[in-house]
Each structure stands twice: as C-alpha cells, then as structure tokens.
Amino acid sequence: MTHSIPAQARDGEPLLVAEGLTKHFPIMGGFPVKRKVGAVQAVDGIDLAVRAGESFGLVGESGCGKSTTGRLLTRLLEPTAGRIHYRGEDITHADRRRLAPIRSEIQMIFQDPYSSLNPRQTVGKIIAGPMEINGIAPPGGREARVRELLEVVGLSPEHYNRFPHEFSGGQRQRIGVARALALEPKVIVADEPVSALDVSIQAQVVNLLARLRRELGIAFLFIAHDLAVVRHFSQRVAVMYLGRIVESGDRDDIYRRPRHPYTHALLSAVPEVSGLSDAAGTARERIRLTGDVPSPILPPSGCRFRTRCWKAREKCAEEVPPLVPAEGDGEGHLTACHFPEFPPGP
Ligand SMILES: Nc1ncnc2c1ncn2[C@@H]1O[C@H](COP(=O)(O)OP(=O)(O)OP(=O)(O)O)[C@@H](O)[C@H]1O
Ligand code: SF4
Ligand SMILES: [Mg+2]
C-alpha cells in the first residue's frame, strides 16, 4: 500500500487539535428586519487532541454537539470562537487555497450510508471523485487505484461498475470508507459510522476501521452515542454533554475509574459493563437519568449536567466546573465536576 506517515507526524504526536472550540448557531427573528435573537450553543469551548495513529472516541447523547465538533474539525463549518491546529499549523480560518493541501489529509465518514453516496453514480465514479477534484493521478491510473481500494475495504474490484442501491448498508459504508481512503488521509473523522447498521454488521465495519488504523497508521476521531461501540476501538475517550467535554482519559480511566456522574450513567447503560462487576468487585447499578437534556439555547448555569445530576448542590449552579484531574488522578484523566465520584477501591 502506498500510505506513509511523514516524519513530522509520528505516532502519539498531536495531529488535529481543538482549543476552546465553539460553535453558536445564530437564531434569527424579528419583523420586518431580521436580527439575531439568540443562539444554539451547540459546541461551547472544547479542548481535544487527536494524536497521530490513535483512535480517539467522542461520546454523548443525541444533540450534545458531536457532529458539529466533527464538522468544525474538518472545516465544513466555521467556528464561532476557539482554534484548530493541524500538525502544528493554525487552520482555524484558513481559506480554500491554504486548506487545499491539508483537506485531503483530513477526511470524514458519515452516519448514513444511504444518503451519503450519490445514487446516480457508479461505485467507481464515487470513489474516484475526490481524486478527480484534487487532480490526483495515481501511478497506475485512477481506475486501478479504485479497484485496489475496493479490495482494501473488503469489497470486490468487480463492483467498480455497480450502483449504490445494489449494496447492503454495511457494504455501502465500506464504499464510503474507500472514498475517504482515496486521498490517503492521515486522520478520519468517523461520525457514527455504524449507528445506522444492523448490530450484526457493526462489528465488521469497526474491525475494518481498526485494521486501517493499524496497517495504514490513520488516526480516527470516532464519534458514537454510547460507550459500548468505542470500547474496543478507541485508546482514548472523551464524554460530551450539552456542548462541553465533561470527562476525558485513557480507555481504562473511563471504563474502570469513571469520575463524572454523567459518565457513570452512560456506563451503567452498557450491558457488558453494567452486568459485570468492576475492578473493586462491586456490581455497577443501572442509573436511570431522569428529565430531558436541556435546550442548548438556554443551557443551565454552572454545570450543564446539574438539572439531571443526583449530586447537584448550590455550587453546581454557580460555578462552571473546570476540566481538570480529579484528586488522585493523573494529568491524562480530566473531569469537569465539583464533586467527582470516587473511583472503585484499590
Ligand atoms: N445548522 C444548524 N443550525 C442550528 N442548530 C444546529 C445546526 N446544526 C446543529 N444544530 C443544533 O446543535 C446541537 C448539536 O447538534 P449536533 O448535530 O452536533 O449533535 P450530535 O451530538 O451530533 O447529535 P446526534 O447524536 O443526534 O447526531 C443540536 O441542538 C442541534 O439541533
Ligand atoms: S458539578 Fe455538580 S451537578 Fe455537575 S456533575 Fe458534578 S456534582 Fe453533578
Ligand atoms: Mg450527530
């Protein structure tokens, strides 16, 4: 395979970095002159770094701002505030010309394998599309490269002239993966790539992505709405709630020593975790979150989780809890809570 990682992006080095990343969608109203009457605080000051060659999982309930984060990082959306760095370069407001050489290195895979492929184009044309747009001419020609990519993602080179409707959901997602690979990306933002697929197919697609990470050294920002999917794929995980990251850390930190009450609630819904006993030998109870997620137009003051948190006190309404190591945790495990849960015993 022709992928290679340049010297400046060795495994473990920060590749795609967000600092204070914010997206507030304006709400327009008024008559006869429309003006801004409010804002949807979809993403509100998040920090994260996807390192070269790693899989970073971003998890949270529907509407918490995961897709917006993915679209900001791939520069499909313009941020309201904050910065984005790619390989040390500030690309926050880079124009099309400056982005051109970078665009190919940062690719996205979408949730819906049905609507993300043009039904009137053959598979060959769909996968070759990004190469055409970017004027990339592989040594053996585009068609040969597309056939090679079909094999890489577990399809047959014979599928070149078929149309998307001839494929199952899982196969279509493979076509989407092949299209993302056509530009030899260094990082792929995968926005719930398996959520729309049958459970029996999900593991196959996750395994494919895991193989691409291992063999091609591609880093992933893997977006999912529950902790079960990212468990076997992501070395590091961040949990989002209402536009903010509430906890982040290595996989073991999050699954075995969760600190934020919301992470506890999410984990208790993962069957393979909740049914078993944790490191301390105590069974994890199922925590049912009551109430709805508040509107991101008028999020709660202080800690945004407080309206659903069973531990909320006055301080939680008054002060935004900073994302910092909880007492006893290392620099790599961060929690945004005034009264973090204790980790299970020694
Ligand atoms: N273009 C837009 N204009 C206004 N509001 C938007 C826009 N895009 C997203 N939002 C709002 O921003 C919030 C975050 O949306 P986002 O799609 O990022 O969430 P998500 O975590 O990906 O959810 P899901 O799990 O449902 O995909 C939601 O309240 C959504 O309604
Ligand atoms: S800061 Fe308060 S409301 Fe927020 S998660 Fe912690 S205890 Fe709950
Ligand atoms: Mg989404």
Side-chain angles (χ1 to χ4, degrees):
M1 261 166 239
T2 51
H3 282 266
S4 63
I5 295 195
Q8 62 263 52
R10 282 187 300 270
D11 269 13
E13 275 180 42
L15 197 59
L16 189 56
V17 178
E19 280 171 16
L21 196 58
T22 300
K23 181 69 187 181
H24 292 181
F25 293 104
I27 302 168
M28 309 303 276
F31 184 83
V33 183
K34 275 207 186 304
R35 59 191 175 82
K36 192 180 152 194
V37 293
V40 180
Q41 301 184 21
V43 173
D44 198 57
I46 70 168
D47 298 329
L48 63 83
V50 182
R51 300 173 189 156
E54 81 166 347
S55 165
F56 187 95
L58 186 63
V59 172
E61 280 167 296
S62 185
C64 71
K66 306 179 297 294
S67 295
T68 303
T69 303
R71 294 168 70 82
L72 287 168
L73 287 169
T74 48
R75 289 296 325 272
L76 294 171
L77 278 175
E78 194 65 18
T80 308
R83 310 228 66 90
I84 302 165
H85 289 90
Y86 179 68
R87 283 212 251 154
E89 194 183 336
D90 189 334
I91 61 162
T92 317
H93 301 294
D95 60 19
R96 282 183 60 165
R97 258 188 57 215
R98 251 193 71 214
L99 271 182
I102 295 170
R103 265 254 143 82
S104 61
E105 299 189 10
I106 310 171
Q107 292 294 307
M108 197 153 175
I109 303 173
F110 299 92
Q111 170 171 356
D112 186 354
Y114 295 90
S115 66
S116 57
L117 305 177
N118 184 341
R120 286 182 297 275
Q121 287 189 339
T122 61
V123 167
K125 190 125 185 73
I126 289 170
I127 299 172
M131 289 192 254
E132 273 163 33
I133 291 167
N134 290 275
I136 291 169
R142 285 187 193 136
E143 180 167 341
R145 176 72 180 136
V146 170
R147 289 181 189 274
E148 185 184 302
L149 285 168
L150 282 168
E151 281 199 287
V152 169
V153 299
L155 294 169
S156 158
E158 314 293 310
H159 290 148
Y160 187 89
N161 286 312
R162 302 249 191 107
F163 288 88
H165 73 259
E166 300 177 60
F167 294 87
S168 67
Q171 287 174 319
R172 284 185 214 205
Q173 198 51 293
R174 288 174 194 268
I175 296 168
V177 173
R179 177 177 56 184
L181 291 179
L183 296 178
E184 308 199 357
K186 306 279 181 286
V187 54
I188 292 179
V189 173
D191 188 1
E192 304 214 37
V194 300
S195 301
L197 304 179
D198 285 349
V199 176
S200 57
I201 308 296
Q202 290 187 356
Q204 293 174 17
V205 174
V206 173
N207 288 342
L208 166 66
L209 300 180
R211 182 164 61 76
L212 297 175
R213 190 191 69 75
R214 264 195 331 269
E215 293 180 2
L216 305 178
I218 298 170
F220 281 87
L221 179 71
F222 191 101
I223 294 173
H225 59 256
D226 67 55
L227 279 162
V229 180
V230 296
R231 179 151 207 216
H232 300 290
F233 183 52
S234 295
Q235 294 81 46
R236 290 195 304 136
V237 176
V239 177
M240 258 185 109
Y241 186 82
L242 256 189
R244 293 193 183 141
I245 290 178
V246 296
E247 183 161 7
S248 68
D250 288 343
R251 178 181 10 212
D252 278 357
D253 294 334
I254 299 297
Y255 291 90
R256 293 166 69 178
R257 291 178 291 278
R259 295 293 221 144
H260 199 282
Y262 180 59
T263 312
H264 275 262
L266 281 185
L267 271 176
S268 79
V270 177
E272 56 181 309
V273 178
S274 59
L276 300 171
S277 44
D278 58 27
T282 50
R284 211 173 245 139
E285 280 171 58
R286 169 132 199 170
I287 302 163
R288 278 186 202 285
L289 286 180
T290 50
D292 293 330
V293 183
S295 161
I297 297 169
L298 257 179
S301 63
C303 173
R304 290 188 169 186
F305 185 57
R306 71 178 164 82
T307 54
R308 299 166 83 196
C309 182
W310 56 95
K311 298 174 76 178
R313 293 192 234 161
E314 215 164 283
K315 185 180 184 184
C316 305
E318 288 163 0
E319 286 174 37
V320 176
L323 187 63
V324 292
E327 199 185 333
D329 286 346
E331 287 294 315
H333 184 187
L334 307 177
T335 308
C337 176
H338 295 306
F339 310 104
E341 298 281 294
F342 292 106

